[in-house]
Amino acid sequence: MPELAGLSIVETLDAAWFIERILRGLAWALLCNGPPRGRRGWGRLLADFAVLTLVLGGCELPAQILFPSLFLIARTLVNGLVGFAYLYLRSDYYWKSKLVMWSSMFACCCALSSIGGMFSFLTGEFIASGAIEGVVRCAAAALGIPLAFYLHAFNFQQYQSIPRSGMSVILIGDASVLVFVLLEIFWAGADYRITVSFAVAYICILGMTLVAVWAMHDMCAEQADIIALQAESQRLQGERELFRATEATLEDLRCIRHDLKNQYSYMQILLSQKRYGELEAYFQQLTDHLPAQLNYIDCGNRAVNAILNMEMGKAKKEDVQMEHQLVVPPVLPFAEDDLCALLANLLDNAIEECARLRQEKALPVSLRLEIYPHRTYLYIMCRNTTDRKQLQRRGTALSTTKADGRLHGYGTRIISKIAEKYNGCAEFGLDSGNFVAKIMIDMLSGETGGVTA
C-alpha cells in the first residue's frame, strides 16, 4: 500500500494525514451547503465542517493504528457511511438528488485519496522522500473542494426524473472504486508499474463520474425544456380550440338570429290575418324543434366554463358521457394558461382513454369530474374507466402507454408541475377499474390577478 509502505505509525500520522482529513471534511460540508452566504451560512458550514472532520478522523484513526493492513478498506467504508449519513440528515435535497450527490462524491473522494497515496509513493521512489510526499497527498485531497463545488452546482433538486443510465454509470464507478481498493491491498506498492496502472484507473473513474454527472444534468435540463414546450403547446392548442368554439357559437347565433327574424315575420303575418289555429300549430312546431344548447356547463367561473365546455364538446364527439360536480369560486388566483393546461391535460387523457376502450374493446365507459374548494385549496378529481392493471411511474409523473414515448407522456408531468407551482400536489392511482387523478392547488399562493368569472 503506497501510503503505508515502509512507514511506522508515527510517520504515517504526520501533518499531511491531518490536513487530508480536514480537506475531506470541508469538501463534504461544501457539497451540502455550497458557497456560504451570510452569517448563518458560514455558521452552518463551519459547524458541519468541524463535526465531519472530527468524525472522519476519529473513525479512521483507530483503524489505522490497530489494523494498518486494512486501512484502505476502513477509510473507504468510513467515507461512504459518514458522507451518506451527513447528506441524509443535513441536506434539504430530495432523496434522488441526495443519492446522486453522495454516490458521485464518494467515488471522487475515494479516487482522490488513492491517487494521492499512489503519487506520493511514486514521488518518494523517483524524486524525493519526506515532506514532499505529504504535499502531494494534500494536493490531491485539496482537489475535493472544487469537485464539491462542481457537484453542488450540478445538483438535481429541481428535477424529479433522473435518467437511470446516468445513475448506473455513477454506481458502476462506486463499485469499481471498491474493487480497486481490494486489489490495491494486495498489489499496489509491489511494483511502480502496477501503481501507475492503478493511478490511471482511478483517474479514469474520476473523469467518468464527473462526465456522467454533467451528462445527467444536461439530459434532465433538456427533459424539463421539453415539458415546458409541451405545456406551452398544450396552452396554444387550447386557445385555438377555444377560438374555434367561440367562432362556432357566433355562427350558431347568427343562424338563430336569421331564423328568428324569418319566424317573427311569418308569425306577424298569421297574427295580422287572425289565423290563430295555424299560429298555435306553428308555435308548437317551434317548441318541438328548439336549437341545441350552446353551453353544456355553467359553473360560475367564465374561464373554467370555456375550458370545460370545450372538453365537453370533445367528449360528445367521442360519444363519451361526462358527469360533473362543480362548485367553482367566481374568482381564482391562478394564471389562466396554467388552469387551461391543467384541465385540458387532465380531461384530454381521460376522454382519449374512454374513446379507445369504447372503440377497441367495446367496453362501457364513464368519466366524472369534480371541482370544489376544500379549505384554502381547490380540489380537482377526474375519474375515468381504464384497462390498466398497474401504473408505471417516472418520478412524480406516469409513463405513457403510447408507442412513441418521446413525444407523449408529458401530460401528468405538466399537471404535477402546475400543482407544485401553486404549493399543491397531484396524485394518480387506480381504483376498481378506474384511473383516478386528484389535484390540490393552494388558492392562497396564486399569482396576482386571478381567473375571474
Side-chain angles (χ1 to χ4, degrees), residues 226-253:
I226 292 174
I227 294 175
L229 289 173
Q230 289 280 346
E232 181 66 13
S233 174
Q234 184 74 40
R235 184 184 68 81
L236 293 175
Q237 181 181 353
E239 289 181 355
R240 286 194 296 269
E241 291 178 350
L242 283 173
F243 176 77
R244 286 195 293 267
T246 303
E247 284 292 311
T249 301
L250 289 175
E251 184 62 28
D252 289 341
L253 287 173

Side-chain angles (χ1 to χ4, degrees), residues 232-338:
E232 181 66 13
S233 174
Q234 184 74 40
R235 184 184 68 81
L236 293 175
Q237 181 181 353
E239 289 181 355
R240 286 194 296 269
E241 291 178 350
L242 283 173
F243 176 77
R244 286 195 293 267
T246 303
E247 284 292 311
T249 301
L250 289 175
E251 184 62 28
D252 289 341
L253 287 173
R254 293 189 190 102
C255 293
I256 292 172
R257 182 178 179 276
H258 180 74
D259 290 342
L260 285 174
K261 185 178 179 180
N262 294 331
Q263 291 164 5
Y264 287 158
S265 298
Y266 180 63
M267 287 187 290
Q268 188 176 12
I269 293 172
L270 294 177
L271 186 63
S272 64
Q273 296 178 358
K274 299 182 180 181
R275 295 157 61 182
Y276 301 121
E278 294 181 38
L279 181 60
E280 183 179 358
Y282 187 68
F283 266 117
Q284 185 62 43
Q285 182 183 356
L286 290 179
T287 304
D288 294 338
H289 296 86
L290 287 175
Q293 186 180 2
L294 295 178
N295 289 314
Y296 305 110
I297 294 174
D298 185 1
C299 66
N301 186 290
R302 176 181 54 81
V304 176
N305 283 343
I307 299 166
L308 296 186
N309 280 313
M310 177 184 70
E311 295 298 326
M312 180 71 82
K314 295 179 184 178
K316 279 191 171 292
K317 288 181 181 179
E318 299 291 348
D319 195 23
V320 175
Q321 184 68 30
M322 187 170 88
E323 299 178 357
H324 53 81
Q325 180 180 344
L326 308 172
V327 183
V328 184
V331 178
L332 291 174
F334 313 122
E336 192 165 327
D337 56 346
D338 287 335

Side-chain angles (χ1 to χ4, degrees), residues 342-362:
L342 190 152
L343 292 174
N345 275 289
L346 195 65
L347 291 171
D348 281 347
N349 289 343
I351 294 170
E352 185 176 346
E353 179 78 352
C354 289
R356 180 184 66 83
L357 292 176
R358 182 182 291 278
Q359 293 173 4
E360 294 181 1
K361 301 186 178 182

